């Protein structure tokens, strides 16, 4: 990747903006109208890029939010004579309130129930528009006033053009900024990394609600513009079929790329126009043939280009490096560690059942600050289940867990993370398409405060530099400096485990839960890991370690608990455990 890639990306953007600036001077009205509609659709599709492409939440109901924005201004400007500049915030407020209420109900649904839920309220709102007498029923509302900038009335599409595209470009840049931030990383973790994100302190239901509301606000904004461009609204453009079309636009363009929204909206709008014009003359009869051909083409695109068209185009452009040089930032404050030797974690009579299987059976043990406590046992003994129970990832069936003197067994994973516990996963949970530093930065989530609004406007840069610097420091500490900007998914498994440790450390924990951190490491890497754990222990961090490499465990652990069939088989000092006949029989003997 070359450094000159940044100016090149800026050059492309400048060319695009220049083309937009001269378009109204050169193009006939017909094409400007087309471009206006592409812009309006792209605003909605951009919301879906965020919601569906990045966040993994499929919505068929965005057209209804467009309707809310459009009908609010139509009603207020015609019936109550309110200025359109006031109906914009009013429309966005209505959209946000409806989105928040719908989101609170629907976003809890999982799998295919969520898209079905969006279909349900999409249809409900559409019929509401058509059946409310105050909104003009199916005839709609006409006589909506044009937008006015001082003396300039935006009466024609030519005058409206700049407004639509300025709005679109602004929200594209704001969305891109949002995704490249602390909140953005949490959002990007929703699809495929929600369990990990929660364990790093991310409130995933809240992140989902945020992108759902933002996507609805984009749609509402598009609706407000639409109403004043058309100066007339009726329910038709806010139907479920339009909602489906918005989703197609996002998918065809490139569902996880902000610029894909424009591309998708452009391709579909032009294609439909073209089919509408040419098919009847080609076939010699009229009818809705374009919808049939359109549907077939969509199937083809979904078959051939799953990620949409934008990634195909992107191949021809140089990629900008993800991060510029690091700016020196002030180090993040550290949490005061409990006194070495004090009990950090106390597990009492912990039980976990999976149906008839008892994976953890009356387990009791404790971990102190400044010690390495090893939890060992054959495969299937219940060690990882114990980790999930302690960290809140999969709560215990019964029993008590105290962390730093407080009961935590009923708390969600993010609340436990907040109290200073962090963990790695036996089956590595990284976001493979994100760089190593971005993955590790997710660990710093609870150490930042800036909201998604601050991120959108880039006023979070100071804090962001501190978070990234912390992530970089932990990456170096775990011996991964040379891989900082590589994609996490491209690393070998042993190094991915090290990334998990760096991510856990980035949260500034006082208790670290490591599930088989040395698996897949070479000898020297294991030694470096042992050295790192010794240093952490000396700092006063408590470490609960699950590991199969007995040399590694016995050379490092202060105390050992042995599990078998979910139960505690033995506990003691490493020497005692190595001499314990029951342990040798059950575990060590079985290995040799
Ligand atoms: P270990 O980490 O010691 O190898 P685990 O905690 O992964 O063992 O598993 C303990 C037992 O619980 C195993 O028999 C495993 O099959 C079972 N188990 C683990 N997770 C689940 C689950 N989500 N549903 C059902 N059974 C599970
Ligand atoms: Mg395990």
């Amino acid at each position: 990747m070359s450094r000159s890639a940044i100016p090149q990306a800026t050059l492309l953007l400048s060319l695009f903006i220049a083309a937009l600036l001269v378009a109204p001077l050169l193009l006939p009205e017909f094409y400007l109208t087309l471009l206006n509609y592409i812009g309006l659709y792209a605003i909605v599709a951009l919301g879906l890029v965020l919601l569906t492409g990045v966040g993994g939440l499929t919505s068929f109901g965005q057209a209804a939010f467009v309707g809310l924005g459009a009908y609010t201004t139509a009603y207020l400007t015609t019936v109550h004579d309110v200025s359109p500049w006031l109906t914009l915030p009013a429309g966005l407020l209505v959209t946000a309130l409806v989105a928040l209420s719908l989101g609170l109900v629907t976003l809890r649904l999982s799998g295919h129930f969520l898209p079905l839920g969006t279909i349900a309220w999409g249809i409900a709102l559409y019929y509401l528009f058509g059946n409310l007498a105050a909104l003009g029923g199916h005839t709609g509302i006409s006589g909506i006033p044009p937008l006015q900038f001082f003396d300039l009335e935006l009466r024609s599409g030519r005058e409206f053009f700049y407004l639509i595209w300025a709005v679109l470009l602004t929200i594209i840049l704001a969305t891109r900024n949002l995704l490249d931030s602390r909140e953005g990383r949490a959002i990007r973790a929703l699809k495929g990394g929600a369990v990990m994100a929660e364990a790093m302190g991310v409130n995933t239901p809240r992140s989902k609600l945020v992108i759902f509301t933002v996507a609805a606000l984009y749609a509402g904004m598009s609706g407000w513009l639409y109403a004043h461009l058309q100066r007339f609204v009726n329910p038709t453009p806010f139907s479920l079929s339009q909602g489906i079309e918005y989703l197609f636009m996002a998918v065809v363009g490139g569902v996880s790329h902000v610029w894909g929204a424009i591309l998708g909206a452009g391709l579909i709008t032009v294609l439909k126009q073209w089919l509408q014009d040419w098919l009847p003359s080609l076939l010699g009869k009229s009818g809705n043939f374009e919808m049939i051909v359109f549907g077939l083409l969509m199937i083809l695109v979904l078959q051939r280009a799953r990620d949409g068209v934008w990634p195909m185009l992107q191949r021809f452009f140089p990629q900008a490096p993800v991060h510029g040089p690091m700016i020196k930032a002030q180090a993040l404050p550290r949490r005061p560690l409990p006194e070495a030797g004090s009990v950090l974690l106390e597990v009492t009579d912990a039980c976990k059942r999976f149906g008839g299987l008892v994976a953890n059976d009356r387990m009791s043990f404790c971990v102190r600050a400044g010690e390495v406590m090893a939890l060992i046992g054959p495969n299937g003994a219940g060690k990882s289940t114990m980790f999930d129970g302690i960290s809140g990832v999969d709560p215990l069936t019964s029993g008590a867990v105290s962390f730093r003197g407080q009961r935590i067994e009923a708390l969600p994973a993010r609340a436990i993370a907040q109290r200073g516990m962090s963990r790695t996963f036996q089956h590595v949970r990284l976001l493979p398409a994100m760089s190593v530093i971005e993955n590790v930065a997710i660990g710093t989530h609870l150490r930042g405060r800036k909201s998604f609004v601050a991120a959108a406007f880039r006023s979070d840069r100071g804090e962001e530099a501190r978070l990234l610097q912390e992530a970089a420091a932990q990456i170096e500490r775990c011996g991964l400096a040379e891989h900082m900007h590589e994609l996490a998914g491209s690393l070998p498994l042993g190094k991915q485990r090290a990334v998990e440790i760096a991510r856990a450390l980035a949260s500034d924990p006082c208790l670290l839960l490591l599930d088989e951190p040395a698996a897949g490491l070479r000898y020297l890497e294991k030694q470096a890991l042992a050295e790192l754990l010794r240093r952490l222990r000396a700092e006063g961090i408590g470490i609960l370690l699950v590991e199969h490499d007995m040399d590694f465990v016995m050379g490092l652990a202060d105390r050992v608990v042995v599990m078998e069939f979910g139960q505690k088989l033995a506990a003691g000092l490493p020497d005692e455990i190595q001499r314990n006949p029951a342990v040798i029989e059950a575990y060590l003997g079985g290995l040799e």
Side-chain angles (χ1 to χ4, degrees):
M1 278 190 246
S2 71
R3 286 276 146 196
S4 66
I6 294 180
Q8 227 154 345
T10 321
L11 184 72
L12 283 175
L13 181 61
S14 318
L15 282 177
F16 182 62
I17 293 175
L20 287 177
L21 285 175
V22 295
L25 309 175
L26 302 176
L27 292 178
E29 192 75 27
F30 170 79
Y31 287 105
L32 283 179
T33 308
L34 208 58
L35 281 174
N36 279 343
Y37 277 96
I38 291 173
L40 289 177
Y41 295 153
I43 293 174
V44 187
L46 181 62
L48 284 174
V49 164
L50 187 64
L51 184 67
T52 308
V54 180
L57 304 168
T58 308
S59 167
F60 289 98
Q62 295 311 100
F65 290 128
V66 183
L68 284 177
Y71 266 102
T72 309
T73 190
Y75 175 76
L76 290 176
T77 51
T78 55
V79 179
H80 295 287
D81 238 1
V82 183
S83 149
W85 298 113
L86 292 179
T87 61
L88 174 60
L92 293 181
L93 185 68
V94 170
T95 313
L97 289 178
V98 174
L100 284 173
S101 349
L102 287 175
L104 281 174
V105 181
T106 9
L107 294 179
R108 283 206 208 123
L109 306 175
S110 57
H112 55 277
F113 290 108
L114 173 67
L116 283 179
T118 66
I119 291 176
W121 51 253
I123 294 176
L125 283 173
Y126 169 72
Y127 280 104
L128 190 72
F129 297 139
N131 285 317
L132 281 182
L135 299 182
H138 284 282
T139 335
I141 302 176
S142 52
I144 301 172
L147 291 180
Q148 207 172 348
F149 276 103
F150 303 101
D151 281 345
L152 173 69
E153 281 196 343
L154 306 184
R155 283 188 173 271
S156 75
R158 198 173 293 275
E159 289 152 346
F160 227 90
F161 176 86
Y162 290 124
L163 178 62
I164 291 179
W165 283 85
V167 168
L168 176 56
L169 279 184
T170 309
I171 63 170
I172 281 195
L173 296 179
T175 309
R176 214 178 53 166
N177 291 348
L178 169 60
L179 289 175
D180 176 33
S181 73
R182 165 179 162 272
E183 290 280 7
R185 283 185 292 271
I187 291 168
R188 286 151 72 197
L190 289 176
K191 191 168 75 177
V195 171
M196 174 277 292
E198 282 276 330
M200 294 300 131
V202 175
N203 185 338
T204 55
R206 182 178 158 280
S207 291
K208 284 183 186 173
L209 198 58
V210 165
I211 53 173
F212 186 72
T213 310
V214 169
L217 285 174
Y218 288 177
M221 178 80 203
S222 173
W224 177 81
L225 287 165
Y226 170 85
H228 291 283
L229 174 67
Q230 281 283 327
R231 317 258 310 277
F232 161 77
V233 294
N234 73 356
T236 318
F238 314 125
S239 66
L240 181 63
S241 69
Q242 184 62 37
I244 295 173
E245 217 158 281
Y246 285 130
L247 197 56
F248 270 139
M249 289 175 189
V251 171
V252 167
V255 79
S256 43
H257 301 266
V258 287
W259 296 103
I262 296 188
L263 189 65
L267 283 176
I268 292 211
T269 311
V270 170
L271 183 69
K272 272 187 74 179
Q273 187 69 39
W274 187 79
L275 289 174
Q276 243 163 19
D277 289 350
W278 288 93
L279 271 184
S281 50
L282 210 66
L283 297 171
K285 40 185 159 180
S286 59
N288 279 347
F289 294 114
E290 77 272 6
M291 287 316 287
I292 301 170
V293 178
F294 181 71
L296 291 174
L297 282 174
M298 284 307 104
I299 294 176
L300 202 69
V301 170
L302 293 180
Q303 281 279 330
R304 295 276 145 181
R306 297 227 141 184
D307 298 326
V309 182
W310 181 257
M312 298 165 112
L313 287 185
Q314 229 179 0
R315 260 182 258 153
F316 299 105
F317 300 125
Q319 294 279 302
V322 191
H323 291 283
M326 287 271 191
I327 311 157
K328 187 101 186 86
Q330 200 191 347
L332 291 172
R334 293 215 37 199
R335 170 196 321 268
L337 288 174
E339 200 184 326
S342 63
V343 174
L344 275 179
L345 179 81
E346 178 122 47
V347 179
T348 316
D349 282 336
C351 294
K352 178 67 183 181
R353 288 195 184 83
F354 294 112
L357 179 88
V358 187
N360 288 156
D361 191 2
R362 288 164 290 145
M363 282 295 295
S364 298
F365 60 92
C366 74
V367 182
R368 296 174 203 278
E371 76 166 349
V372 175
M373 226 294 280
L375 190 60
I376 65 169
N379 271 328
K383 307 177 298 290
S384 296
T385 305
M386 195 72 253
F387 268 33
D388 288 347
I390 295 170
S391 62
V393 163
D394 191 0
L396 298 173
T397 313
S398 66
V401 184
S402 293
F403 180 48
R404 303 172 70 191
Q406 285 178 321
R407 294 284 288 269
I408 58 161
E409 71 272 5
L411 296 179
R414 58 175 181 272
I416 297 175
Q418 175 103 52
R419 285 164 167 72
M421 188 190 300
S422 201
R423 64 168 293 177
T424 65
F425 293 89
Q426 180 186 351
H427 302 288
V428 174
R429 289 181 189 256
L430 295 175
L431 297 166
M434 272 162 67
S435 67
V436 167
I437 189 165
E438 283 184 303
N439 268 283
V440 174
I442 292 177
T444 67
H445 188 79
L446 289 170
R447 302 175 78 184
R449 294 269 163 285
K450 295 283 183 188
S451 71
F452 57 96
V453 181
F457 292 103
R458 276 288 189 241
S459 68
D460 64 338
R461 290 299 97 180
E463 180 184 276
E464 175 75 357
R466 297 177 76 187
L467 298 181
L468 288 178
Q469 178 174 284
E470 171 70 16
Q474 299 302 349
I475 289 170
E476 275 167 27
R477 200 179 191 186
C478 294
L480 293 162
E482 61 193 301
H483 304 294
M484 189 97 67
H485 299 296
E486 288 170 26
L487 296 185
S490 70
L491 298 184
L493 194 58
K495 291 215 156 60
Q496 294 195 13
R497 288 186 188 285
V499 177
E500 287 239 331
I501 298 174
R503 184 180 64 203
L505 287 175
S507 71
D508 186 26
C510 49
L511 176 65
L512 199 55
L513 271 48
L514 303 176
D515 200 346
E516 303 198 14
L521 294 193
R522 284 189 284 251
Y523 180 71
L524 285 178
E525 291 171 324
K526 278 188 190 181
Q527 289 209 314
L529 176 63
E531 193 43 47
L532 171 67
L533 299 188
R534 281 193 192 98
R535 253 181 291 140
L536 294 172
R537 169 171 65 187
E539 280 177 27
I541 293 179
I543 298 172
L544 180 60
L545 172 74
V546 166
E547 186 48 60
H548 281 300
D549 181 331
M550 280 310 122
D551 290 338
F552 186 85
V553 168
M554 296 305 171
L556 190 66
D558 299 293
R559 291 186 302 128
V560 182
V561 167
V562 188
M563 282 184 83
E564 194 190 20
F565 303 122
Q567 294 177 340
K568 183 157 85 175
L569 181 70
L573 302 174
D575 283 350
E576 296 167 4
I577 294 296
Q578 278 168 306
R579 280 186 269 114
N580 184 318
V583 175
I584 295 170
E585 168 67 28
Y587 183 52
L588 298 175
L591 273 188
E592 275 155 14

